[in-house]
Amino acid sequence: DAKTTQPPSMDCAEGRAANLPCNHSTISGNEYVYWYRQIHSQGPQYIIHGLKNNETNEMASLIITEDRKSSTLILPHATLRDTAVYYCIVRADNTDKLIFGTGTRLQVFP
Amino acid sequence: NAGVTQTPKFRILKIGQSMTLQCTQDMNHNYMYWYRQDPGMGLKLIYYSVGAGITDKGEVPNGYNVSRSTTEDFPLRLELAAPSQTSVYFCASRRQGWGGYTFGSGTRLTVV
């Protein structure tokens, strides 16, 4: 599995958009980009995933660059409840395992 | 539909004791996983299973054993507990053909 690089921490004001970057320069053609988050000590929560195209769901948007070497998770209107560790993971569709990195700790402040 | 259920939520073990962490899911998912998370760190994969009767090692399998006799259950066994196994353990599952995992709420284990 390709490795990812994320900043260790970020801050965001409540109500503003939170843009979380992820570098995955060695990503292969069959590897998807997944985002999970972990709020405090809870189990990780799936957010969104994509292969080439940008994706949007009720939680977030995922922007993947044309060369697929990086991506950005966008929380359009961050709330205090979005404070969490966000993990960017690349995973091939035929791979059984999901390998976590160290993630980005997002702090949303009032 | 309860999702992924882990028991117990908390446990304190003495060095050398044994225990089984229970994990069950009611979503008929083929794939199940055990992760551990040490304080301030990311999750590490211990073991996983792609279906009943099939298990495989992850990143950190030493000191653990698993079995998968049914689709629903995937217990994790610690035979000789060591302080290095103090951690939070998460079980997860997913259905075939989709990469979104459903995680349980975790078991916080302390070995003293």
Side-chain angles (χ1 to χ4, degrees):
Chain A
D1 292 331
K3 292 190 175 180
T4 63
T5 304
Q6 300 177 252
S9 63
M10 293 183 65
D11 291 337
C12 179
E14 189 176 22
R16 304 297 294 269
N19 297 288
L20 290 88
C22 179
N23 286 320
H24 31 79
S25 58
T26 59
I27 193 169
S28 299
N30 66 341
E31 288 182 315
Y32 288 75
V33 180
Y34 285 84
W35 283 85
Y36 283 76
R37 73 180 183 183
Q38 187 174 25
I39 297 174
H40 194 45
S41 303
Q42 299 175 22
Q45 176 189 24
Y46 166 82
I47 301 173
I48 199 168
H49 74 283
L51 182 63
K52 295 180 183 178
N53 301 322
N54 299 336
E55 302 287 344
T56 296
N57 63 20
E58 65 278 3
M59 290 182 67
S61 294
L62 174 60
I63 308 298
I64 302 174
T65 57
E66 194 168 339
D67 63 6
R68 302 209 325 123
K69 293 185 176 182
S70 66
S71 60
T72 301
L73 178 75
I74 301 173
L75 307 178
H77 304 287
T79 71
L80 298 178
R81 288 177 293 181
D82 291 322
T83 292
V85 177
Y86 287 77
Y87 296 98
C88 169
I89 304 164
V90 292
R91 173 184 168 273
D93 199 37
N94 60 355
T95 300
D96 297 324
K97 300 178 288 187
L98 196 69
I99 304 298
F100 285 78
T102 53
T104 295
R105 183 172 299 276
L106 175 69
Q107 179 70 52
V108 180
F109 57 91
Chain B
N1 191 332
V4 177
T5 302
Q6 292 184 237
T7 56
K9 293 192 183 304
F10 303 92
R11 183 72 185 268
I12 298 175
L13 276 183
K14 293 184 178 180
I15 295 172
Q17 285 186 321
S18 301
M19 79 163 293
T20 299
L21 282 68
Q22 301 292 345
C23 176
T24 187
Q25 51 92 8
D26 62 358
M27 299 171 285
N28 202 32
H29 286 174
N30 295 85
Y31 296 78
M32 295 188 74
Y33 304 82
W34 275 106
Y35 288 87
R36 61 175 286 174
Q37 185 173 33
D38 297 336
M41 306 294 286
L43 282 77
K44 295 290 187 184
L45 180 63
I46 305 172
Y47 271 97
Y48 66 102
S49 169
V50 302
I54 305 170
T55 62
D56 209 343
K57 296 178 181 179
E59 302 171 274
V60 290
N62 292 342
Y64 307 94
N65 281 300
V66 293
S67 60
R68 183 95 182 272
S69 57
T70 67
T71 298
E72 294 78 19
D73 300 306
F74 190 40
L76 178 71
R77 179 83 178 162
L78 283 71
E79 290 294 347
L80 292 170
S84 61
Q85 293 177 305
T86 293
S87 191
V88 180
Y89 291 83
F90 290 103
C91 179
S93 73
R94 70 174 177 94
R95 62 173 172 82
Q96 188 168 0
W98 192 63
Y101 288 41
T102 300
F103 281 82
S105 58
T107 294
R108 186 176 298 275
L109 175 67
T110 302
V111 182
V112 296

